[in-house]
Structures are given as C-alpha cells and as structure tokens.
Amino acid sequence: MNNTVKTYYITRDYENELPVQFCNSLNKRYISFQYCRATCNDYLDGETEIHCDFIQRDNYCDSLVWYANLTPPDDNRKYEYIGSKRKFNVWFTNATGEEIKPDNFTLFLKLEY
C-alpha cells in the first residue's frame, strides 16, 4: 500500500471535477467536509444546507452534507469514495428543503488517498 496523500479541494462552482490522482488511487479514498461559507441575500446564516452528490449511497436526505457557515466537530463528515466518477455537483437548500442559489459560496473539502 502506498503512503496516504492528504490534500485540500476548494471550489466556488456548482459543477466540479475531482483530481485524477484521487479517483485513480489504489488506496482507500475519503472526502471530508471541512467548511462552506455561503452568503444568501447579503448575509451569512446558519440554516442554509449544503448537498453534494459525491456521497455514494442511496441519496439519503438528498445527499445532505452539513449546514453552510457552521463548522462540524472533527472529521465526522468523512465519506469513503468507492467509485471512479470524477464529476460531482453541489447544491443548496433552505431550512424547509427548497433549493436555493446563494449569492456566492466557497466549499472546503479534504481529500485523502
């Protein structure tokens, strides 16, 4: 087994592509949600939900990852990546589950492979 690589993936886009090195690694691969800063209607709130389809299980809770503008405790938002698909999408919902588009956002992920 090769040494584990840990790197960060930062995006401001709704449609994204994971690095080739991550997707093709023979090691176990993990994506950890670190933080997402999202501005909605010119302010930061704690009710905007972030969703990502890199979560590779049955779309549980519409692929909900966490809340924007709130830091999760430790790496408890760590997902094993079992596929080889490079593309993933990001979307947001409000507290009642309606899809919204923030004014802007920055998503921080940690990749381990």
Side-chain angles (χ1 to χ4, degrees):
M1 184 159 163
N2 297 326
N3 291 334
T4 300
V5 174
K6 293 181 182 179
T7 189
Y8 294 93
Y9 185 89
I10 301 168
T11 184
R12 293 180 172 99
D13 298 317
Y14 291 98
E15 296 177 6
N16 299 277
E17 238 179 55
L18 294 165
V20 172
Q21 300 88 337
F22 175 80
C23 292
N24 292 337
S25 175
L26 298 177
N27 293 339
K28 285 194 169 234
R29 296 163 293 159
Y30 299 94
I31 299 175
S32 295
F33 172 81
Q34 301 270 282
Y35 185 74
C36 181
R37 196 249 343 115
T39 304
C40 299
N41 299 320
D42 296 323
Y43 71 95
L44 300 176
D45 68 34
E47 295 184 347
T48 300
E49 298 174 340
I50 179 169
H51 304 257
C52 297
D53 62 6
F54 62 69
I55 299 173
Q56 299 175 311
R57 59 182 261 212
D58 61 11
N59 293 325
Y60 178 71
C61 285
D62 193 25
S63 301
L64 175 65
V65 176
W66 194 249
Y67 291 90
N69 307 315
L70 296 176
T71 305
D74 57 50
D75 274 346
N76 72 352
R77 297 292 172 204
K78 183 175 183 176
Y79 302 93
E80 185 173 6
Y81 199 78
I82 53 175
S84 58
K85 185 176 107 171
R86 290 187 59 208
K87 295 184 181 191
F88 74 93
N89 297 299
V90 175
W91 67 98
F92 296 85
T93 57
N94 62 18
T96 60
E98 299 167 333
E99 190 165 336
I100 60 171
K101 294 275 188 194
D103 305 332
N104 56 68
F105 73 93
T106 305
L107 172 63
F108 300 83
L109 302 171
K110 180 170 65 174
L111 306 180
E112 296 177 65
Y113 57 98

